[in-house]
Amino acid sequence: MIRLILPVTICFAAPLGAETCENVPYSQENCVRVLACIGDQGLYFDGEARGWDEGPASGLISNGVTCTGTWTADGPFGAGMGQMTCEDGVDIGVIYHTQDNETGTVIGSGSDSLGQPVQIWSGENVLEFLTPEGEVSARLPCMSGPIPMS
């Protein structure tokens, strides 16, 4: 009986984002990394957005809280919106502006239901974008100070 339960347990224990996240322009299979600063106490979000023009988003806040939601693009205007609900009941809403559609690069801001500001970055090259010139690793430019990312 244990042999039948073990694969199911392993499947449910897989972390968010365990599937490969690959940029596939113009495809519903598209996936890009999403990073965000939350508030001014050093919290950050690390997750992914899937799909093209709209789709699901999910990830983990640095305090261990899981969040899921959706995002939509506003076609020719280069803007979009995202919303997530976290397992602790906090809602997050952001508006973003597309920097490079093909790579999924967006920059945005918003807030959570606690009134904390949220800044987001996403895209195939998000780590390179957040790596200061002359540095070797990416840093989220959060209000609490830069947070190293890999």
Side-chain angles (χ1 to χ4, degrees), residues 75-140:
F77 300 108
M81 297 173 53
Q83 70 79 30
M84 299 184 96
T85 298
C86 302
E87 66 183 352
D88 62 359
V90 173
D91 293 319
I92 298 172
V94 297
I95 295 174
Y96 64 84
H97 299 280
T98 302
Q99 306 299 307
D100 182 10
N101 195 39
E102 298 250 338
T103 62
T105 303
V106 307
I107 299 172
S109 62
S111 62
D112 68 15
S113 57
L114 300 175
Q116 299 181 102
V118 176
Q119 299 171 278
I120 68 156
W121 300 266
S122 76
E124 177 181 20
N125 304 313
V126 70
L127 290 179
E128 290 85 354
F129 180 79
L130 294 171
T131 301
E133 191 172 327
E135 298 288 324
V136 293
S137 65
R139 300 187 186 287
L140 276 177

Side-chain angles (χ1 to χ4, degrees), residues 31-105:
C31 178
V32 293
R33 189 168 183 187
V34 177
L35 299 171
C37 299
I38 301 171
D40 60 1
Q41 301 297 311
L43 284 179
Y44 65 90
F45 173 87
D46 191 350
E48 63 187 33
R50 292 185 173 269
W52 195 261
D53 290 334
E54 65 181 6
S58 61
L60 189 65
I61 296 176
S62 56
N63 63 2
V65 174
T66 301
C67 303
T68 59
T70 59
W71 66 273
T72 57
D74 188 13
F77 300 108
M81 297 173 53
Q83 70 79 30
M84 299 184 96
T85 298
C86 302
E87 66 183 352
D88 62 359
V90 173
D91 293 319
I92 298 172
V94 297
I95 295 174
Y96 64 84
H97 299 280
T98 302
Q99 306 299 307
D100 182 10
N101 195 39
E102 298 250 338
T103 62
T105 303

